[in-house]
Amino acid sequence: MSAPEPTVVSVDVGTSAVRSGLFGLSGELLRSARVPRTSGAGDLFDATELLTDVGESLRKLAVDSRPRALCVSAHIGGVAVDSRLEPVLPGGGWSDTRGLDLLHRIPDARRESLLLRAGRPALSGGAAALALALGESDLGERVHALLSPKDFLVARLTGRLAWDTVDAAYTLASDVRTRSWQVDSLHSLAIPDHWFAPQVEPTAVVGEVHARGARSTGLPEGTPVVSGGPDGSVGIGVLLGENPSGIADVAGTTDVLARLIDDPARARHGAVVNPAMVPGMWTAGGATGMSGGAVARWRSLVGAVDEEDLRAVPVGAHGLLVYPGLSGERFPRWRPDAQGAILGQGSRHGAAEILRAAQEGAGFTVREGIDLLDPHRELPVLFAGGSARSAHVAQLRADILGREVHVADEPDVTLFGAAAVALVGVGEVPDLDEARERLGLTFDVVTPDDRRGSRYDEVFDRWTAARESGPSAL
């Protein structure tokens, strides 16, 4: 009887579910599992329940021999733990604003310095804001460490505390150029710097699954654990590798956009700068706010619409305009108080027109970010995520963007991306480009239709003008 094929295991923690995958070293996905989140991840979530969900997902994989590595990717946020690594209060998701008001109160010069070094164009929630809130509460005395959701999971499985450099950037407390904590800024804000564990590269091996972690996950004790990173960044990492000649769009609840740069100073104003998943490089871009999430919201309101009926709606949806804005505007405009809207509705507009206008609004939001990253429209877009499953949406994006859209044949790039990071982390492949080839990720090219593209240019101009002026612009 032949020995089982060596494997790596990847985990993708999304806002609504946890997915795990078992990959052979040849790159084949052998099996996968999905577990709905017990506690969702909007503003707040129960970190202990998340740990249970991850354990259930991994047990469903029924891993029967020690994998070469485990790699976890998860949404951004913050989890405060005590010395036993137990949460001291609910974990924060990507839209957690606890302590944000305290960040706004610090002196302007100090705040601007913090933002500049953190590679952020605007204040948002995160571990630094949470630290300020904890400092003003009795709970601060119980805090041993602040961690991202992913690093909390890694700590509970291995007993090791560490931040990957990309998750660390989202705390607002890291200097993205040096990939180190802003210790002086933490001290000036009276935040204990020992709350922030050392930073490591996303491909670094942090530790091994200990006995308790093995019991909760079904993974063999001693399985090496690679650090990993945020979900969007891991997906971007496997899409771009070391290629600066493209813009990645991982489209889910939000669209996460990024291109590679070799110097943080090259980032355009309004872009978030992160350390890249590859050493010595950075990404410029950001999350748009709820784009796909807004489309899903409208779909739940108007009901199911066949894709053929959506295709039949003409460009501009008979004058109907929809603004996503359910979670405010993030990259590239950074207007957190912005709200969604529907403008120009009349009796001729049915469910298909409303949903098509919502899809167009999501595409226009993405276009603003991509045009900021590449104003001359020279680069193609590497498209993946849930929205990439639809041929209609891929063509719509190409027409709206006026660019080639290279659609990943495997839309679940975060799950595959975590597997790619694991392969690099244990030295099975030298880099993410080779990992992508090993995993068999390929792209189908969708070219824009010039006629529809010209019409979308006009609708986009009307959409942006109406957003600023209100219904009178229609």
Side-chain angles (χ1 to χ4, degrees):
M1 182 176 179
S2 60
E5 179 183 6
T7 60
V8 295
V9 176
S10 67
V11 175
D12 169 19
V13 177
T15 56
S16 61
V18 175
R19 290 198 64 205
S20 59
L22 182 68
F23 291 79
L25 294 190
S26 63
E28 180 185 2
L29 175 60
L30 303 176
R31 52 186 177 269
S32 63
R34 181 184 184 276
V35 172
R37 290 279 298 269
T38 306
S39 174
D43 296 336
L44 303 176
F45 67 94
D46 187 314
T48 301
E49 289 182 350
L50 172 59
L51 182 66
T52 300
D53 294 338
V54 170
E56 182 181 351
S57 177
L58 287 170
R59 287 194 302 275
K60 282 188 172 183
L61 283 183
V63 178
D64 52 10
S65 61
R66 180 183 296 175
R68 289 287 305 280
L70 164 70
C71 182
V72 181
S73 178
H75 57 81
I76 61 174
V79 180
V81 297
D82 61 19
S83 59
R84 298 175 303 157
L85 303 182
E86 295 289 343
V88 301
L89 76 171
W94 61 273
S95 57
D96 179 20
T97 59
R98 289 174 297 180
L100 185 57
D101 59 327
L102 300 176
L103 278 178
H104 280 284
R105 294 178 199 169
I106 66 178
D108 291 348
R110 186 182 301 170
R111 185 170 61 248
E112 291 305 314
S113 174
L114 191 72
L115 287 169
L116 179 64
R117 294 168 66 186
R120 265 61 194 154
L123 289 177
S124 60
L130 178 59
L132 287 176
L134 286 166
E136 293 200 350
S137 75
D138 295 337
L139 290 174
E141 297 180 358
R142 295 176 50 195
V143 174
H144 176 67
L146 291 170
L147 299 165
S148 74
K150 183 272 299 179
D151 292 314
F152 164 74
L153 295 169
V154 170
R156 289 296 296 264
L157 295 177
T158 68
R160 302 292 181 87
L161 298 176
W163 281 82
D164 73 273
T165 56
V166 190
D167 264 306
Y170 283 101
T171 66
L172 200 67
S174 181
D175 186 322
V176 296
R177 180 179 289 275
T178 62
R179 290 168 160 83
S180 62
W181 297 114
Q182 298 184 46
V183 175
D184 56 338
S185 295
L186 291 173
H187 288 170
S188 72
L189 297 171
I191 297 173
D193 61 83
H194 66 264
W195 282 3
F196 293 86
Q199 295 189 33
V200 299
E201 289 296 325
T203 53
V205 176
V206 174
E208 298 178 345
V209 174
H210 53 38
R212 184 179 176 186
R215 288 193 298 272
S216 67
T217 63
L219 295 177
E221 186 177 350
T223 299
V225 178
V226 176
S227 182
D231 48 5
S233 299
V234 165
I236 287 165
V238 75
L239 288 176
L240 292 180
E242 300 185 15
N243 173 27
S245 300
I247 297 174
D249 177 2
V250 180
T253 302
T254 181
D255 281 71
V256 184
L257 312 172
R259 65 173 299 185
L260 282 177
I261 55 175
D262 58 10
D263 183 350
R266 291 187 55 205
R268 294 179 63 85
H269 180 70
V272 170
V273 178
N274 281 333
M277 298 296 291
V278 295
M281 297 288 285
W282 289 262
T283 60
T288 62
M290 289 185 70
S291 46
V295 174
R297 169 68 172 164
W298 277 110
R299 192 183 296 272
S300 71
L301 293 174
V302 304
V305 177
D306 291 337
E307 191 151 306
E308 285 299 322
D309 291 335
L310 286 174
R311 284 199 189 96
V313 177
V315 170
H318 297 302
L320 195 64
L321 302 177
V322 169
Y323 300 91
L326 296 181
S327 59
E329 294 181 2
R330 296 170 72 86
F331 177 67
R333 294 168 57 82
W334 302 105
R335 294 164 59 168
D337 296 330
Q339 295 181 323
I342 180 168
L343 300 178
Q345 187 176 14
S347 59
R348 68 187 302 187
H349 298 126
E353 285 79 11
I354 292 173
L355 191 54
R356 174 63 177 265
Q359 291 178 330
E360 291 178 346
F364 293 148
T365 300
V366 170
R367 172 171 165 169
E368 287 187 305
I370 289 179
D371 284 352
L372 177 74
L373 297 175
D374 176 35
H376 300 298
R377 295 195 181 185
E378 296 173 341
L379 302 180
V381 173
L382 282 62
F383 189 41
S387 297
R389 298 179 188 275
S390 167
H392 157 69
V393 172
Q395 185 64 60
L396 181 67
R397 287 289 176 91
D399 295 341
I400 287 175
L401 300 176
R403 302 168 185 265
E404 283 189 353
V405 171
H406 297 196
V407 183
D409 64 336
E410 174 50 66
D412 295 324
V413 287
T414 299
L415 191 68
F416 277 70
V421 173
L423 290 171
V424 175
V426 296
E428 182 63 27
V429 295
D431 53 46
L432 289 173
D433 289 307
E434 190 161 325
R436 181 177 61 250
E437 293 186 15
R438 177 76 64 91
L439 292 166
L441 292 177
T442 59
F443 300 90
D444 295 322
V445 178
V446 178
T447 58
D449 180 278
D450 290 340
R451 182 178 60 85
R452 289 194 299 267
S454 295
R455 294 173 64 189
Y456 270 125
D457 287 341
E458 298 173 359
V459 179
F460 176 71
D461 289 341
R462 191 161 59 91
W463 183 86
T464 53
R467 178 181 56 193
E468 299 306 315
S469 304
S472 62
L474 297 172

